[in-house]
Amino acid sequence: MSGSSLTAIVGGTGLTQYPGLNIEREEIIETPLGASSSPLVFANLHGQDVVFLARHGHPHTLPPNKINYRANLLALQKVGVTQIIAVNAVGGITQAMDAEVICIPDQIVDYTHGREDTFFDGVFKPLEHIDFSHPYDGALCDALMLAAEKANQDIVMKGVYGATQGPRLESIAEIVRMEKDGCDLVGMTGMPEAVLARELNIPYACLSLVVNKAAGKSEGIITMDDIHAAVDNGMACVQKIISSFLQK
Ligand code: HPA
C-alpha cells in the first residue's frame, strides 16, 4: 500500500463482496479485542488503494447485534485506514425516504443496547467522554455529496439515522416513536460503528440505501423479496457514488 490516504468501504446487507475490486490480498486481522468480522480485502479501485470489510462476514452470517464492531474498527485502524465509507441498508421512515433512495445521514439516535460500544470502557482504555455532536465527518459527507452529483446520482443530503438492535424489524409503534424522535431512517448497524470510528479519530460517513418503507409506512408487511429487489437496484447506485468519490 502506498500514499497517505486509505479509504475503507464497510459493506453490509447486499454488499458483502464489492464488485470490480482488483484484489491484492485478503487478511483476517487480529486485534486485542478479537478478529475482524471477515478478512480485510486489500484492493485497488479506480487507481486508489482501498480496504473492503464485510461487517456481517462473508457469507453474511453475523446478525447486527453480534458484530464485533470494536475489533472491526481496531482492525481498520491497524492497517492504516484514514477514512471510512460505511454502506448500510435501511428502512425509510419519513416521506422522502422511499425505497432505493440513498441518504447521507448527518445525525444519529442510538436505540441499541448491550453492544460493546466504546473503547473508553475503563478496561481497554481509561474512561473518556468524547464529543459526538456531529456523529459523521462533515468534509467526508460533503465529498460524497459532490461525488454523487458528479455521477448524476440523486441523494438526500442529511437525515437522522435511528439505530435499532435487530435482528428483527420494528413494530409500528416503535417506528411512530422514532419518527417523533426525529428519525428519518432506521437501520441496525449504524451504531456503535460511527462512535467507535470517532473514538479512533477516523473520519466516517455513511451511504444509507433505503430498501423498504419502515413498519407501518406502507401497505402490508415488509418482505425479504421487496428488500432484495431494492438492494439489487440500489447497491449499483451506491457503487457509482463510491467510484466517483475515488476518481476525484
Ligand atoms: N428496520 C431496521 N433495519 C433495516 C430495515 C428496517 O426496516 N430495513 C433494512 N434495514
Side-chain angles (χ1 to χ4, degrees), residues 100-120:
E100 295 178 37
V101 162
I102 296 170
C103 176
I104 300 177
D106 65 321
Q107 280 294 332
I108 293 178
V109 180
D110 188 7
Y111 302 92
T112 67
H113 48 87
R115 300 183 182 189
E116 294 284 1
D117 58 2
T118 180
F119 295 113
F120 299 116

Side-chain angles (χ1 to χ4, degrees), residues 23-154:
I23 297 176
E24 289 159 10
R25 68 193 163 91
E26 300 190 26
E27 194 184 339
I28 290 258
I29 303 292
E30 293 290 340
T31 80
L33 296 174
S36 51
S37 292
S38 55
L40 297 193
V41 180
F42 296 83
N44 196 281
L45 186 61
H46 307 297
Q48 303 284 330
D49 288 333
V50 298
V51 174
F52 177 74
L53 169 64
R55 70 162 76 76
H56 295 277
H58 175 60
H60 186 306
T61 48
L62 290 169
N65 53 319
K66 291 278 160 62
I67 294 170
N68 188 342
Y69 295 92
R70 297 199 303 173
N72 284 349
L73 269 291
L74 276 189
L76 295 177
Q77 183 193 47
K78 188 172 171 185
V79 302
V81 159
T82 58
Q83 55 189 0
I84 299 171
I85 300 172
V87 180
N88 312 85
V90 296
I93 298 178
T94 44
Q95 207 163 14
M97 302 302 182
D98 260 326
E100 295 178 37
V101 162
I102 296 170
C103 176
I104 300 177
D106 65 321
Q107 280 294 332
I108 293 178
V109 180
D110 188 7
Y111 302 92
T112 67
H113 48 87
R115 300 183 182 189
E116 294 284 1
D117 58 2
T118 180
F119 295 113
F120 299 116
D121 59 358
V123 179
F124 182 68
K125 283 189 184 182
L127 176 64
E128 204 176 303
H129 301 286
I130 60 144
D131 178 81
F132 200 49
S133 306
H134 301 284
Y136 299 100
D137 183 80
L140 189 52
C141 290
D142 287 349
L144 286 171
M145 182 194 65
L146 288 176
E149 247 169 42
K150 220 172 54 180
N152 285 320
Q153 296 298 313
D154 287 337

